[in-house]
Amino acid sequence: MAIEVSRLRFSYPEQPEHSVLTIPSWSLAKGSQTFVYGPSGGGKSTLLNLLSGLLTPTEGEISLFGQRLDTMSSRQRDQFRANKIGYVFQQFNLIPYLNAVDNIRLACQFSQRKKQANINDDITDLLTSLSIPERDWHCAIRQLSIGQQQRVAIARALINKPKFLIADEPTSSLDPVNRDAFMALLMSLVAENNITLLFVSHDMSLANYFNHVEALTDINRIEEHV
Amino acid sequence: MFMKLALQSLLDRKGSVVLSIMAMTISIFVLLSVEHIRHEVKESFSNTVSGVDLIVGTRTGSVNLLLHSVFRIGMPTNNISWQSYEQIASSSNVKWAIPISLGDSHKGFRVLGTNQSYFQHFSYGKQQALRFAQGDEFDAVFDVVLGSIVAKKLGYQLGDSLTLAHGIADTSFSRHDNLPFKVVGILAPTGTPVDQTLHVSLQGLEAIHLDWQQGVKISNNSLTQTDLEQAALQPKSITAFMLGLKSKIATFKVQRQINTYANEPLLAILPGVALSELWQMMSMLEKTLLLVSALVFVAACLGVNAMLLSSIRERNREIQLLRVAGAPPRFLFLLLELEAIVITLTSITLASILLLMSLALSQDYLVAQFGLHISGAIYSERSVGILVAILLTSCIAALIPSVYIYQKGINVGG
């Protein structure tokens, strides 16, 4: 299994009695592509932050590829995230004052890739395969279109060859044409590299790209402790 | 990559960063210049006189005597009779004596009446004797030897003639214009007040004051130059004199003898001791200046921190992005510290350039106006120490925004 969650409960330290997330049991198979839909405020960001190791569960276990995330130190989690997890946000995926190449290189900074010599070649290959024109590689990110920015974001997320990719509403700021192009590109890259994808969105029209579709309300079984 | 990120992020906030750097540059400039000028003034003063064991003048404060006899600052209160000078100069412990007579000027430069032993025995810096750039020491009554700056500023050559003015004001109305002096020698630069002095013989000074009473000219052209050169011009009084002793051990003994001299109230001082008294008087001022400039620097440091702190608020998404990419919170901490260090180092560089430039521009003025030689070597052991302290202080001050961003980094998911 790529992801296994059991008896997970999360509450913010300020309100320990108020559970934001309660997941009795949930898992994702290796190489699966899963679409999770749900309204905002349904514990979506909390779930993603738990899976990426930015938050630790109040109770319960989270395992990614057989490794227990909840028992790792924060340093180990940072390292694990850098090496194994890619992340694409709705927007602001890139440091605005760095150019595309430097943004991607920055992602290598924190992973084991840092020591490898062929990073530049990989960046070039990746940007070429994402059809970003070479003249835009060294432009400030602000000068790129939103569609281009999201493609560079994919490149940044994939440069460390992650096993798990989290996409958090990545198409919300795109127009329909760009959205379809983005989805096609994302799905082909994920399939090609055998990456486990968790795609979160409220836009149900995207569900037909996926073989697994789940509602967040089915995963998160909050029993309100009043 | 780390450095690039810090630099690019600073470049991205050019406006506020440039202002912070300017504030910091000015504060470091003030700190560096206070320290440098303080150091150089001391150096310059200490170099002015060397090899003189005692300076003798009329009873006054020792600092006052030192200032007017050596640095040509201020005025003597009274004169010493020629007899007293001769008696002390000829005593057994004395190796040489240099009489000094002050009070006249030429275009704002002071005139010093003395004798040939001045050129033989007076030394400055590290026991360096006076050297002539052109010509030779004065011989006749109306010969004058110029300091290097006097010659340069006023454009005098050997053989030129000039008249002296009574008193030290540039615009003095009472001039000794009936009796011109001839330039016979120009001294090599020394970096001391000697450069701004005109040296004449005591006889020359005596001659131009012969028909004066109580500082006022009483007749016009009653005496001619030839009359005077023939007359025996015995000085009646001098302002002060410097003594070189045969043995240093006798210094205190001779000093006591002079201080208890029966015929006239006299004061003998050791230049080194008087100089340290002067530093003691100045140290309060020095410390105050240094404290004020340190406080200005602290204010600039806080300004930089306020800028960094407010930038963190704009960088929320950036922090999240870096954390998601696997950056540990300490990376964010170091990033902010590095930004503070870059700002400080840039400011130090700019402040040094600014100081070097202003020194280069003001050097001539300081020499001409105050006889101060401020060298361009701004990196002394102490100033480098101050720069290190500046860097450390800004690192410590930057802990405030750095810890703040660290906290934000930890809590990015929540």
Side-chain angles (χ1 to χ4, degrees), chain A residues 9-20:
Chain A
R9 190 179 81 80
F10 181 82
S11 59
Y12 286 105
E14 300 87 54
Q15 292 168 286
E17 292 306 309
H18 176 82
S19 291
V20 182

Side-chain angles (χ1 to χ4, degrees), chain B residues 209-269:
Chain B
H209 293 104
L210 213 57
D211 55 348
W212 287 50
Q213 264 175 22
Q214 310 281 334
V216 179
K217 209 187 236 182
I218 51 172
S219 65
N220 258 332
N221 287 332
S222 58
L223 293 161
T224 66
Q225 212 156 336
T226 37
D227 288 342
L228 287 167
E229 277 178 10
Q230 281 153 12
L233 292 161
Q234 185 60 265
K236 288 177 201 65
S237 65
I238 54 172
T239 311
F241 56 95
M242 297 174 179
L243 291 180
L245 301 180
K246 283 175 184 149
S247 148
K248 303 269 177 212
I249 302 161
T251 309
F252 292 106
K253 196 177 134 208
V254 176
Q255 186 188 22
R256 199 170 54 248
Q257 279 168 2
I258 295 171
N259 285 342
T260 56
Y261 188 66
N263 301 350
E264 199 175 349
L266 293 179
L267 172 72
I269 57 162

Side-chain angles (χ1 to χ4, degrees), chain A residues 93-94 99-101 103-104 127 130 132 136 141 144 146-158:
Chain A
N93 275 296
L94 305 160
N99 61 37
V101 171
N103 259 291
I104 299 168
L127 285 172
L130 291 167
I132 297 182
D136 292 334
I141 284 300
L144 303 185
I146 304 283
Q148 275 179 326
Q149 285 186 28
Q150 288 305 75
R151 290 210 295 278
V152 176
I154 296 182
R156 186 191 55 84
L158 295 184

Side-chain angles (χ1 to χ4, degrees), chain B residues 19 93 266 333 342 363 371:
Chain B
L19 283 176
N93 281 316
L266 293 179
F333 176 90
V342 167
Q363 218 150 26

Side-chain angles (χ1 to χ4, degrees), chain B residues 136-350:
Chain B
D136 210 344
E137 49 194 72
F138 49 70
D139 209 16
V141 174
F142 291 101
D143 284 352
V144 58
V145 170
L146 304 181
S148 63
I149 290 170
V150 179
K152 199 172 137 198
K153 285 272 159 179
L154 303 179
Y156 285 129
Q157 305 287 326
L158 290 184
D160 287 355
S161 65
L162 52 92
T163 57
L164 306 185
H166 195 71
I168 52 164
D170 189 13
T171 52
S172 177
F173 287 111
S174 10
R175 292 180 189 274
H176 305 287
D177 40 13
N178 53 330
L179 299 165
F181 281 77
K182 196 178 98 190
V183 178
V184 295
I186 294 168
L187 292 167
T190 62
T192 71
V194 170
D195 295 353
Q196 303 161 77
T197 307
L198 294 91
H199 307 84
V200 299
S201 64
L202 288 168
Q203 288 77 15
L205 276 187
E206 200 59 32
I208 56 175
H209 293 104
L210 213 57
D211 55 348
W212 287 50
Q213 264 175 22
Q214 310 281 334
V216 179
K217 209 187 236 182
I218 51 172
S219 65
N220 258 332
N221 287 332
S222 58
L223 293 161
T224 66
Q225 212 156 336
T226 37
D227 288 342
L228 287 167
E229 277 178 10
Q230 281 153 12
L233 292 161
Q234 185 60 265
K236 288 177 201 65
S237 65
I238 54 172
T239 311
F241 56 95
M242 297 174 179
L243 291 180
L245 301 180
K246 283 175 184 149
S247 148
K248 303 269 177 212
I249 302 161
T251 309
F252 292 106
K253 196 177 134 208
V254 176
Q255 186 188 22
R256 199 170 54 248
Q257 279 168 2
I258 295 171
N259 285 342
T260 56
Y261 188 66
N263 301 350
E264 199 175 349
L266 293 179
L267 172 72
I269 57 162
L270 282 82
V273 174
L275 209 53
S276 63
E277 265 177 51
L278 181 63
W279 296 150
Q280 251 163 34
M281 282 166 56
M282 301 284 282
S283 76
M284 199 64 193
L285 181 71
E286 264 174 29
K287 279 179 189 149
T288 312
L289 272 177
L290 216 54
L291 180 71
V292 168
S293 36
L295 287 176
V296 171
F297 169 71
V298 169
C301 244
L302 293 177
V304 169
N305 284 327
M307 184 275 288
L308 288 176
L309 208 54
S310 68
S311 82
I312 295 175
R313 237 154 255 148
E314 302 157 21
R315 296 168 82 180
N316 269 336
R317 297 307 311 262
E318 197 182 319
I319 294 165
Q320 183 176 19
L321 192 58
L322 284 167
R323 289 285 288 132
V324 162
R330 91 191 118 84
F331 177 89
L332 301 171
F333 176 90
L334 292 174
L335 184 65
L336 265 243
E337 281 285 345
L338 185 64
E339 287 185 8
I341 290 171
V342 167
I343 288 176
T344 312
L345 285 178
T346 312
S347 308
I348 286 177
T349 315
L350 289 175

